[in-house]
Amino acid sequence: MRPKHQTTVPHLPLPLDGHGALAEQIARAIKRVILEGKLPGGTVLPATRALAQIQGVSRETVVVAYELLAAEQLVTARQGSGTRVMENLASARTPRSSPRSRPPSRFAARARVFGPSSITSLGPDVRYNLHYGSPPLQSAFYRTWRRKLAAAALQVDCGYPSVAGHPALRNALCDYLARRRGVVTRPEQVFIVGGTQQAFALLARVLLDEGDCAILEEPWYEIAWRTLTAHGAKVLTVPTDREGLVVDQLPRQGPRLVLVTPSHQFPSGVVMSLRRRLALLEWARRTEAWIVEDDYDSEFRYQGTPPPALRSLDMHDRVVYLGTFSKTMFPSMRLGYVVCPESMCDDFLRAKRFADMGCPSIEQAALATFVRSRQFERHVERQVRELAVRRNVLMQELRASLGDELVFEDTHAGMHLVAWFTRLDYAGLARLIALARSTGLGLYPIHPSYTRRPRHPGLLMGFASLGPRELREAARLLAQCLRKVLPAAARRPPENRLPRGPALGRPPVTAN
Ligand SMILES: Cc1ncc(COP(=O)(O)O)c(C=O)c1O
C-alpha cells in the first residue's frame, strides 16, 4: 500500500543546473519543487534506488542529496517510512509575488526612470571608439603598480580599514594638494572614497533631503545629474558661457548646493574665470549654500599650469573639493578623495561608515607610497605627454579631413574634445552615428547634456583610449561617414575645406 501522502515528484527526471556535485544539484532541484509548493508537507520522496535510476546516478548520490535536504530542514527521514517533505512550510509555498510590480523605495522608482547613459562606452566590439573614458597606461606603469600592490599586501592590517581612509594616503594627499592644486588642508579633512561617484552619493545623503534644490552647470555631467535626481533632489541647471557658470543666474535663495567643474567644465571644457569664481564664493557665503568642486581631470593640461582649485580661494569654508584617481590611474581602481569643510567632517564620516566601512586597504596603501614618492606625479607627466600627442593627432586629422564641417573648442586640457558640426542637423547626426557604428566607429553626441538642444549638433570625443594610428583612422572614417549623410547640396569637395588655422572656437548658442 502507498504511504498516506505519497505522490510522485513532478517532471522526473529532475532538471539539473550543472553547478557543483551531482548530489548538490539533485538537492537543489528537489528544494525548488518543494518551495514552488508542488510537493505538499508529508509527501514521501521517491526511494533512493528509484530516483537514482531515473536520474542515471548512483544510489549514494541520491542518499547524499536527501541528507543535504534534511540538513536544510526541508525533509525529514524516518527509518522505515522513507524521506518526507517537512510539514508546515506554508510560507515558502505562497505564490511568488512579482518583484516588478512594486518598486521597493522611492529612490528605486526614481532610479528606474533612467535609460543607459549617453556617455557609457558602446562596447568592446567598436574598433575605433571615441568614447570618453580610460586614460592610456604603459606597461612600465603596470609593473610598478604590481610591485606596489604586492608590497602593500604584505604590510596592511587585515582588519577593517580606517573609515576615513588610509592615514598615509590622506597625509600624502595633503602634501600633493597643497603643491599641485593650492589646496591647503589637514589630513582630518581628507576622506578617501570609492571614486567621485561615491562622493556624490554621500554628499547627497549629508546635504540634501528629498525635494531640496541642487544646482548643476549646463551642460552637465549626466551621471551627477542622475545621482542627485535619484536621491530625490530637485535639480536645476544654470548655463555656462565662456567664463564658466553664469553666477548671476543662480537663484538668490533656496539651493543647498551647486556642483561645478571650474578647472575644466564638463563637458564643454571652459575654465571658470577668476571673476566668476569669486562671485560664486560670495554667492555661496550669502546664501549659505555648499559648493561642490569636481576637479576630475585638472592634472591634464597641455599648455601652462592648471588654474588653482576653487577651494584654494575659499575663505569661508563653503567648498567641498573632490578629486579622483579614475583618470590619473584607472577607473576600476574606484578611489577618489574629498576635502570636506571642517563643519561637515563628522557627518561625512558617518555617511561613509554606513555606506561601506571604508575603502579597501591594499590599494590605498599602495597609492600612498606611489603619491608620497612622487612617482605618481612623474607617471601623470608621462600621461600628459602621451595624451598631448593623441589630442594633437585627432585635432589635426579632423581639421585636415573635415575642414570647416566641424569646429572645436581648443581648451588645451582634458581627455576629450567637443566638436560642433556646422552644417549637419540632428536627423543627420542620428544617421551619422548609426552609419559610423556600422563601420566600427563609436561616436557620442553632446546634446544629452543640455536642457535644450544646441542649435548645431556636437560630439563629445574622447581621445585617450586610442593610439595615434587608430585616431587617424577614426578621423578618416568620420569624414567618410559625414560625406554620406550630408545633404548633397551641402557637400563640397574636400579640397575647398582645407584646414584654416585654429578652430573657430565658439560653441553654438543654445537655441531658444
Ligand atoms: C565630470 C566628471 N567627474 C568625475 C568623474 C570621475 O568619476 P569617478 O571618480 O566616479 O570615476 C568623471 C569621469 O568620467 C567625470 O567626467
Side-chain angles (χ1 to χ4, degrees):
M1 215 174 84
R2 270 157 73 116
K4 189 173 121 221
H5 281 299
Q6 185 161 10
T7 58
T8 47
V9 173
H11 312 304
L12 288 175
L14 296 158
L16 304 186
D17 59 28
H19 300 294
L22 277 173
E24 292 166 3
Q25 296 185 45
I26 291 172
R28 271 198 300 276
I30 298 175
K31 175 178 178 175
R32 188 176 176 85
V33 180
I34 295 173
L35 294 179
E36 282 172 352
K38 293 178 184 158
L39 290 179
T43 303
V44 178
L45 295 185
T48 49
R49 200 182 305 278
L51 188 57
Q53 213 166 37
I54 294 169
Q55 295 294 141
V57 298
S58 72
R59 181 167 168 250
E60 182 58 22
T61 300
V62 178
V63 170
V64 174
Y66 284 5
E67 282 168 5
L68 290 171
L69 290 167
E72 286 196 53
Q73 301 179 22
L74 288 162
V75 301
T76 162
R78 227 180 286 138
Q79 197 75 49
S81 61
T83 302
R84 288 162 185 268
V85 176
M86 196 69 103
E87 301 282 358
N88 302 324
L89 295 178
S91 63
R93 289 206 299 271
T94 51
R96 276 197 186 186
S97 60
S98 162
R100 285 173 183 282
S101 57
R102 254 180 80 180
S105 68
R106 286 194 295 275
F107 173 88
R110 288 188 293 263
R112 281 180 182 190
V113 171
F114 301 119
S117 162
S118 66
I119 56 175
T120 305
S121 169
L122 288 171
D125 59 317
V126 183
R127 189 138 171 242
Y128 304 101
N129 199 353
L130 292 174
H131 86 282
Y132 168 69
S134 304
L137 293 170
Q138 275 95 24
S139 50
F141 164 80
Y142 287 111
R143 281 197 297 277
T144 310
W145 184 239
R146 262 200 303 273
R147 276 200 302 275
K148 296 263 171 223
L149 280 178
L154 292 175
Q155 282 159 14
V156 297
D157 181 347
C158 291
Y160 282 100
S162 157
V163 173
H166 192 64
L169 181 56
R170 298 167 81 195
N171 277 315
L173 283 171
C174 279
D175 174 60
Y176 170 78
L177 288 172
R179 287 186 297 103
R180 290 292 179 141
R181 306 299 299 124
V183 174
V184 178
T185 184
R186 297 179 304 114
E188 292 76 18
Q189 286 176 257
V190 179
F191 294 86
I192 309 300
V193 288
T196 308
Q197 190 54 31
Q198 188 182 42
F200 291 153
L202 296 182
L203 288 170
R205 284 191 195 176
V206 169
L207 302 178
L208 299 171
D209 289 317
E210 277 180 319
D212 278 351
C213 175
I215 306 277
L216 294 188
E217 299 167 308
E218 176 164 349
W220 57 75
Y221 178 39
E222 191 183 66
I223 298 172
W225 177 67
R226 290 179 171 203
T227 307
L228 297 177
T229 305
H231 177 80
K234 183 173 146 212
V235 181
L236 301 179
T237 61
V238 167
T240 52
D241 62 13
R242 295 177 65 75
E243 283 192 67
L245 186 76
V246 183
V247 177
D248 284 351
Q249 293 195 24
L250 284 167
R252 280 180 215 288
Q253 57 188 30
R256 295 288 313 247
L257 69 83
V258 53
L259 172 59
V260 287
T261 44
S263 302
H264 190 225
Q265 204 277 334
F266 188 85
S268 74
V270 169
V271 177
M272 196 187 285
S273 68
L274 179 64
R275 211 162 54 109
R276 291 277 173 84
R277 288 171 189 241
L278 295 174
L280 178 60
L281 289 165
E282 173 53 21
W283 172 87
R285 188 195 60 76
R286 235 184 15 250
T287 58
E288 296 186 353
W290 298 102
I291 301 171
V292 179
E293 175 179 19
D294 178 6
D295 205 24
Y296 64 103
D297 75 351
S298 59
E299 294 85 356
F300 303 132
R301 268 215 94 74
Y302 310 110
Q303 230 174 51
T305 44
L310 178 64
R311 165 91 196 172
S312 73
L313 299 167
D314 176 20
M315 296 298 116
H316 298 279
D317 218 15
R318 302 304 306 170
V319 177
V320 189
Y321 175 88
L322 314 183
T324 180
F325 288 108
S326 288
K327 309 285 164 206
T328 48
M329 299 291 281
F330 45 91
S332 70
M333 174 177 269
R334 301 315 303 135
L335 285 179
Y337 44 93
V338 177
V339 178
C340 266
E342 191 97 44
S343 62
M344 200 186 284
C345 287
D346 289 347
D347 291 328
F348 194 85
L349 183 67
R350 278 183 210 104
K352 174 70 179 158
R353 178 176 294 120
F354 295 151
D356 63 6
M357 305 278 283
C359 293
S361 298
I362 296 177
E363 283 80 357
Q364 291 191 68
L367 254 183
T369 63
F370 201 47
V371 176
R372 197 175 46 214
S373 64
R374 302 206 184 170
Q375 280 169 291
F376 171 69
E377 282 160 72
R378 289 195 291 278
H379 154 72
V380 171
E381 280 159 19
R382 277 192 292 276
Q383 273 184 316
V384 169
R385 282 197 293 276
E386 179 58 34
L387 284 171
V389 169
R390 295 181 184 203
R391 180 177 155 280
N392 289 343
V393 165
L394 182 61
M395 284 172 64
Q396 278 163 12
E397 291 297 319
L398 289 174
R399 281 181 181 145
S401 51
L402 287 161
D404 56 9
E405 293 296 354
L406 201 61
V407 293
F408 40 97
E409 193 72 21
D410 194 354
T411 59
H412 304 286
M415 288 168 38
H416 72 281
L417 297 171
V418 174
W420 302 96
F421 291 101
T422 49
R423 287 189 291 170
L424 195 68
D425 60 14
Y426 279 94
L429 177 75
R431 286 201 303 279
L432 175 72
I433 290 174
L435 182 63
R437 180 81 165 85
S438 71
T439 64
L441 173 67
L443 298 178
Y444 299 83
I446 195 170
H447 64 265
S449 288
Y450 287 83
T451 320
R452 287 193 216 128
R453 286 176 167 188
R455 188 173 300 157
H456 297 274
L459 294 174
L460 194 160
M461 306 172 99
F463 53 80
S465 35
L466 296 182
R469 197 190 53 75
E470 294 161 306
L471 287 167
R472 275 189 206 102
E473 185 57 17
R476 193 190 63 75
L477 279 175
L478 174 54
Q480 200 180 68
C481 295
L482 185 64
R483 257 174 243 128
K484 288 192 184 147
V485 295
L486 271 180
R491 275 186 237 141
R492 275 188 271 132
E495 53 273 22
N496 294 347
R497 288 179 271 111
L498 287 175
R500 302 190 305 163
L504 302 181
R506 181 175 290 275
V509 181
T510 302
N512 285 311

